[in-house]
Amino acid sequence: MPLLTIELLIALVTAHLLADFVFQTTHMVLNKQRPMIMLMHGLHVFALTALLSGGAMVLALGIALSHVAIDAIKVHLAPDDLRSYLVDQGAHMVVLLLAVMWLPDSVLAHWWPPLSTDMIQVVLVLSGLITATMAGGPAVGHLMARFKSDAQPEGLEYAGRIIGLMERGLIFLMVMIGEPSGIGFLIAAKSILRFDTVSRDQKLSEYVIIGTLASFGWALAASFATIATMNALGY
Protein backbone atom coordinates (compact mmCIF):
# COMPACT_ATOMS: atom_id res chain seq x y z
CA MET A 1 0.00 0.00 0.00
CA PRO A 2 1.51 3.40 -0.98
CA LEU A 3 2.66 5.67 1.83
CA LEU A 4 0.16 8.35 0.79
CA THR A 5 -2.70 5.87 1.22
CA ILE A 6 -1.38 4.67 4.59
CA GLU A 7 -1.07 8.24 5.88
CA LEU A 8 -4.62 9.08 4.85
CA LEU A 9 -5.93 5.87 6.42
CA ILE A 10 -4.20 6.76 9.70
CA ALA A 11 -5.78 10.24 9.57
CA LEU A 12 -9.25 8.82 8.87
CA VAL A 13 -8.96 6.28 11.69
CA THR A 14 -7.90 9.05 14.07
CA ALA A 15 -10.89 11.16 13.00
CA HIS A 16 -13.18 8.18 13.63
CA LEU A 17 -11.73 7.55 17.09
CA LEU A 18 -12.05 11.22 18.03
CA ALA A 19 -15.66 11.34 16.85
CA ASP A 20 -16.72 8.08 18.51
CA PHE A 21 -14.83 8.24 21.80
CA VAL A 22 -13.76 11.82 22.53
CA PHE A 23 -16.50 14.05 21.10
CA GLN A 24 -19.36 11.59 21.61
CA THR A 25 -20.65 12.00 25.14
CA THR A 26 -22.42 9.42 27.30
CA HIS A 27 -25.65 11.35 26.77
CA MET A 28 -25.25 11.00 23.00
CA VAL A 29 -24.56 7.27 23.28
CA LEU A 30 -27.65 6.67 25.41
CA ASN A 31 -29.90 8.79 23.18
CA LYS A 32 -28.58 7.98 19.73
CA GLN A 33 -31.98 6.64 18.67
CA ARG A 34 -33.13 10.28 18.58
CA PRO A 35 -32.63 11.75 15.07
CA MET A 36 -31.09 15.01 16.27
CA ILE A 37 -28.51 13.21 18.39
CA MET A 38 -27.60 10.94 15.47
CA LEU A 39 -27.36 13.98 13.19
CA MET A 40 -25.05 15.74 15.65
CA HIS A 41 -22.81 12.68 15.79
CA GLY A 42 -22.75 12.53 12.00
CA LEU A 43 -21.71 16.19 11.87
CA HIS A 44 -18.87 15.45 14.26
CA VAL A 45 -17.69 12.62 12.00
CA PHE A 46 -17.95 14.86 8.92
CA ALA A 47 -16.11 17.80 10.47
CA LEU A 48 -13.27 15.76 11.96
CA THR A 49 -12.85 13.68 8.81
CA ALA A 50 -12.77 16.79 6.62
CA LEU A 51 -10.27 18.45 8.96
CA LEU A 52 -7.87 15.54 9.22
CA SER A 53 -8.11 14.60 5.52
CA GLY A 54 -6.95 18.01 4.36
CA GLY A 55 -10.36 19.27 3.27
CA ALA A 56 -11.68 16.27 1.34
CA MET A 57 -15.33 17.28 1.67
CA VAL A 58 -16.82 14.64 -0.64
CA LEU A 59 -14.84 11.89 1.08
CA ALA A 60 -15.83 13.23 4.51
CA LEU A 61 -19.51 13.36 3.52
CA GLY A 62 -19.45 9.78 2.24
CA ILE A 63 -17.75 8.50 5.39
CA ALA A 64 -20.14 10.46 7.63
CA LEU A 65 -23.20 9.07 5.83
CA SER A 66 -21.89 5.51 6.04
CA HIS A 67 -21.04 6.04 9.72
CA VAL A 68 -24.58 7.20 10.51
CA ALA A 69 -26.06 4.28 8.54
CA ILE A 70 -23.96 1.72 10.42
CA ASP A 71 -24.79 3.32 13.77
CA ALA A 72 -28.50 3.40 12.91
CA ILE A 73 -28.47 -0.31 12.10
CA LYS A 74 -26.71 -1.05 15.38
CA VAL A 75 -29.04 1.12 17.46
CA HIS A 76 -32.30 -0.14 15.96
CA LEU A 77 -31.54 -3.75 14.99
CA ALA A 78 -28.62 -5.07 17.05
CA PRO A 79 -28.46 -5.89 20.78
CA ASP A 80 -26.33 -3.67 22.98
CA ASP A 81 -23.59 -6.19 23.72
CA LEU A 82 -19.89 -6.80 23.14
CA ARG A 83 -20.35 -8.58 19.81
CA SER A 84 -22.41 -5.72 18.38
CA TYR A 85 -19.86 -3.20 19.64
CA LEU A 86 -16.95 -4.99 17.98
CA VAL A 87 -18.86 -5.61 14.74
CA ASP A 88 -19.88 -1.93 14.65
CA GLN A 89 -16.29 -0.74 15.06
CA GLY A 90 -15.06 -3.31 12.56
CA ALA A 91 -17.60 -2.13 9.99
CA HIS A 92 -16.42 1.47 10.37
CA MET A 93 -12.80 0.38 9.88
CA VAL A 94 -13.71 -1.59 6.73
CA VAL A 95 -15.41 1.50 5.26
CA LEU A 96 -12.32 3.62 5.90
CA LEU A 97 -10.03 0.99 4.39
CA LEU A 98 -12.18 0.61 1.28
CA ALA A 99 -12.35 4.39 0.90
CA VAL A 100 -8.58 4.87 0.72
CA MET A 101 -8.02 1.73 -1.39
CA TRP A 102 -10.68 2.75 -3.91
CA LEU A 103 -9.42 6.30 -4.42
CA PRO A 104 -6.57 6.71 -6.96
CA ASP A 105 -3.30 8.31 -5.88
CA SER A 106 -3.89 11.29 -8.17
CA VAL A 107 -7.01 12.16 -6.19
CA LEU A 108 -5.37 11.50 -2.82
CA ALA A 109 -2.41 13.72 -3.66
CA HIS A 110 -4.78 16.62 -4.36
CA TRP A 111 -6.51 16.25 -0.99
CA TRP A 112 -3.87 14.90 1.30
CA PRO A 113 -0.59 16.78 1.91
CA PRO A 114 2.27 14.49 2.95
CA LEU A 115 2.88 14.64 6.70
CA SER A 116 6.21 14.88 8.43
CA THR A 117 7.50 11.79 10.21
CA ASP A 118 6.99 13.45 13.60
CA MET A 119 3.36 14.29 12.81
CA ILE A 120 2.59 10.74 11.69
CA GLN A 121 4.03 9.40 14.93
CA VAL A 122 1.96 11.86 16.97
CA VAL A 123 -1.24 10.81 15.17
CA LEU A 124 -0.42 7.12 15.60
CA VAL A 125 0.24 7.53 19.31
CA LEU A 126 -2.97 9.54 19.72
CA SER A 127 -4.96 6.81 17.95
CA GLY A 128 -3.34 4.13 20.07
CA LEU A 129 -4.03 6.04 23.28
CA ILE A 130 -7.71 6.53 22.45
CA THR A 131 -8.05 2.87 21.46
CA ALA A 132 -6.35 1.65 24.63
CA THR A 133 -8.24 3.90 27.03
CA MET A 134 -11.58 5.21 25.79
CA ALA A 135 -12.42 2.48 23.26
CA GLY A 136 -11.55 -0.13 25.85
CA GLY A 137 -14.14 1.17 28.31
CA PRO A 138 -17.26 0.10 26.37
CA ALA A 139 -15.65 -3.23 25.44
CA VAL A 140 -14.88 -4.13 29.05
CA GLY A 141 -18.22 -2.73 30.18
CA HIS A 142 -20.14 -4.93 27.72
CA LEU A 143 -18.10 -7.95 28.77
CA MET A 144 -18.85 -7.40 32.46
CA ALA A 145 -22.54 -6.52 32.01
CA ARG A 146 -23.69 -10.10 32.50
CA PHE A 147 -22.03 -10.26 35.93
CA LYS A 148 -23.25 -6.95 37.36
CA SER A 149 -26.47 -8.28 38.88
CA ASP A 150 -24.57 -10.95 40.86
CA ALA A 151 -21.43 -9.09 41.86
CA GLN A 152 -21.80 -5.37 41.34
CA PRO A 153 -19.19 -3.77 43.63
CA GLU A 154 -20.28 -0.86 45.78
CA GLY A 155 -18.45 2.41 45.40
CA LEU A 156 -18.53 5.91 43.97
CA GLU A 157 -20.59 6.47 40.85
CA TYR A 158 -18.45 6.27 37.69
CA ALA A 159 -15.36 5.50 39.81
CA GLY A 160 -14.84 2.17 38.07
CA ARG A 161 -14.90 3.87 34.66
CA ILE A 162 -12.33 6.47 35.74
CA ILE A 163 -10.09 3.82 37.31
CA GLY A 164 -10.26 1.78 34.11
CA LEU A 165 -9.30 4.78 31.98
CA MET A 166 -6.37 5.60 34.26
CA GLU A 167 -5.02 2.04 34.46
CA ARG A 168 -5.25 1.51 30.69
CA GLY A 169 -3.59 4.88 30.13
CA LEU A 170 -0.74 3.94 32.46
CA ILE A 171 -0.31 0.60 30.70
CA PHE A 172 -0.16 2.35 27.32
CA LEU A 173 2.43 4.80 28.66
CA MET A 174 4.59 2.04 30.16
CA VAL A 175 4.59 0.01 26.95
CA MET A 176 5.32 3.04 24.76
CA ILE A 177 8.32 4.12 26.86
CA GLY A 178 9.67 0.55 26.87
CA GLU A 179 8.95 -0.26 30.51
CA PRO A 180 6.22 -2.95 30.41
CA SER A 181 7.64 -4.48 33.59
CA GLY A 182 6.05 -1.57 35.46
CA ILE A 183 2.64 -3.10 34.73
CA GLY A 184 3.43 -5.73 37.36
CA PHE A 185 3.64 -3.03 40.02
CA LEU A 186 0.30 -1.64 38.80
CA ILE A 187 -1.31 -5.08 39.20
CA ALA A 188 0.23 -5.47 42.66
CA ALA A 189 -0.97 -2.04 43.78
CA LYS A 190 -4.51 -2.70 42.59
CA SER A 191 -4.52 -6.11 44.28
CA ILE A 192 -3.45 -4.61 47.61
CA LEU A 193 -6.06 -1.84 47.46
CA ARG A 194 -8.82 -4.30 46.57
CA PHE A 195 -7.77 -7.14 48.88
CA ASP A 196 -9.85 -6.26 51.93
CA THR A 197 -12.99 -5.78 49.80
CA VAL A 198 -12.84 -8.84 47.55
CA SER A 199 -11.39 -11.32 50.05
CA ARG A 200 -14.77 -11.59 51.79
CA ASP A 201 -16.86 -12.17 48.66
CA GLN A 202 -16.05 -14.91 46.12
CA LYS A 203 -18.33 -13.50 43.40
CA LEU A 204 -16.98 -9.99 43.82
CA SER A 205 -13.42 -11.33 43.75
CA GLU A 206 -14.05 -13.12 40.45
CA TYR A 207 -15.80 -10.04 39.06
CA VAL A 208 -12.79 -7.85 39.83
CA ILE A 209 -10.32 -10.40 38.42
CA ILE A 210 -12.22 -10.79 35.13
CA GLY A 211 -12.64 -7.03 34.73
CA THR A 212 -9.00 -6.32 35.55
CA LEU A 213 -7.63 -8.94 33.18
CA ALA A 214 -9.96 -7.79 30.39
CA SER A 215 -8.98 -4.16 30.90
CA PHE A 216 -5.26 -4.92 31.07
CA GLY A 217 -5.46 -7.28 28.09
CA TRP A 218 -7.22 -4.69 25.92
CA ALA A 219 -4.70 -1.99 26.83
CA LEU A 220 -1.75 -4.29 26.16
CA ALA A 221 -3.14 -5.35 22.78
CA ALA A 222 -3.71 -1.72 21.73
CA SER A 223 -0.27 -0.67 22.99
CA PHE A 224 1.67 -3.39 21.21
CA ALA A 225 -0.44 -2.93 18.06
CA THR A 226 0.56 0.75 18.06
CA ILE A 227 4.25 -0.13 18.40
CA ALA A 228 3.97 -2.80 15.70
CA THR A 229 2.36 -0.32 13.31
CA MET A 230 5.07 2.27 13.94
CA ASN A 231 7.80 -0.33 13.42
CA ALA A 232 6.18 -1.59 10.22
CA LEU A 233 6.16 1.96 8.85
CA GLY A 234 9.77 2.48 9.89
CA TYR A 235 9.17 5.06 12.65
Side-chain angles (χ1 to χ4, degrees):
M1 188 181 292
L3 180 59
L4 196 65
T5 303
I6 295 174
E7 288 184 356
L8 179 58
L9 179 60
I10 293 171
L12 295 181
V13 169
T14 305
H16 164 77
L17 293 171
L18 287 170
D20 251 14
F21 300 107
V22 177
F23 287 88
Q24 184 173 212
T25 64
T26 301
H27 173 75
M28 292 173 67
V29 173
L30 296 177
N31 295 277
K32 199 179 283 187
Q33 71 277 7
R34 294 165 56 183
M36 290 305 298
I37 297 295
M38 185 69 79
L39 175 61
M40 183 182 299
H41 182 54
L43 289 175
H44 287 166
V45 175
F46 171 76
L48 289 165
T49 302
L51 177 65
L52 271 69
S53 65
M57 296 299 181
V58 176
L59 176 64
L61 179 60
I63 289 174
L65 291 174
S66 69
H67 191 108
V68 169
I70 292 170
D71 279 9
I73 292 173
K74 176 178 180 292
V75 169
H76 295 289
L77 300 178
D80 187 21
D81 56 16
L82 179 59
R83 179 179 299 178
S84 296
Y85 172 74
L86 295 177
V87 169
D88 172 73
Q89 292 300 316
H92 290 312
M93 292 299 116
V94 169
V95 168
L96 299 182
L97 181 60
L98 292 176
V100 298
M101 292 182 66
W102 174 73
L103 292 169
D105 288 346
S106 58
V107 175
L108 296 181
H110 175 71
W111 283 337
W112 179 245
L115 289 178
S116 66
T117 300
D118 291 340
M119 182 58 67
I120 296 175
Q121 292 185 63
V122 168
V123 174
L124 278 172
V125 171
L126 176 62
S127 295
L129 178 61
I130 296 173
T131 302
T133 56
M134 305 187 77
V140 176
H142 284 308
L143 176 66
M144 301 305 296
R146 69 182 71 177
F147 308 118
K148 281 188 176 182
S149 60
D150 295 326
Q152 176 64 54
E154 297 180 0
L156 298 174
E157 188 177 9
Y158 302 121
R161 181 184 302 179
I162 296 173
I163 292 171
L165 285 171
M166 294 177 66
E167 69 185 17
R168 289 190 296 274
L170 287 172
I171 290 171
F172 183 82
L173 175 62
M174 291 175 189
V175 172
M176 294 304 294
I177 64 175
E179 296 292 342
S181 58
I183 298 171
F185 293 98
L186 183 60
I187 296 175
K190 186 171 183 179
S191 300
I192 293 171
L193 292 173
R194 286 279 194 175
F195 178 78
D196 185 59
T197 302
V198 303
S199 61
R200 300 190 299 267
D201 189 328
Q202 179 69 20
K203 289 184 178 180
L204 180 57
S205 176
E206 293 172 350
Y207 181 92
V208 171
I209 291 172
I210 295 172
T212 297
L213 291 178
S215 182
F216 278 46
W218 180 282
L220 286 170
S223 302
F224 284 113
T226 301
I227 291 179
T229 302
M230 296 177 69
N231 290 339
L233 296 176
Y235 303 132

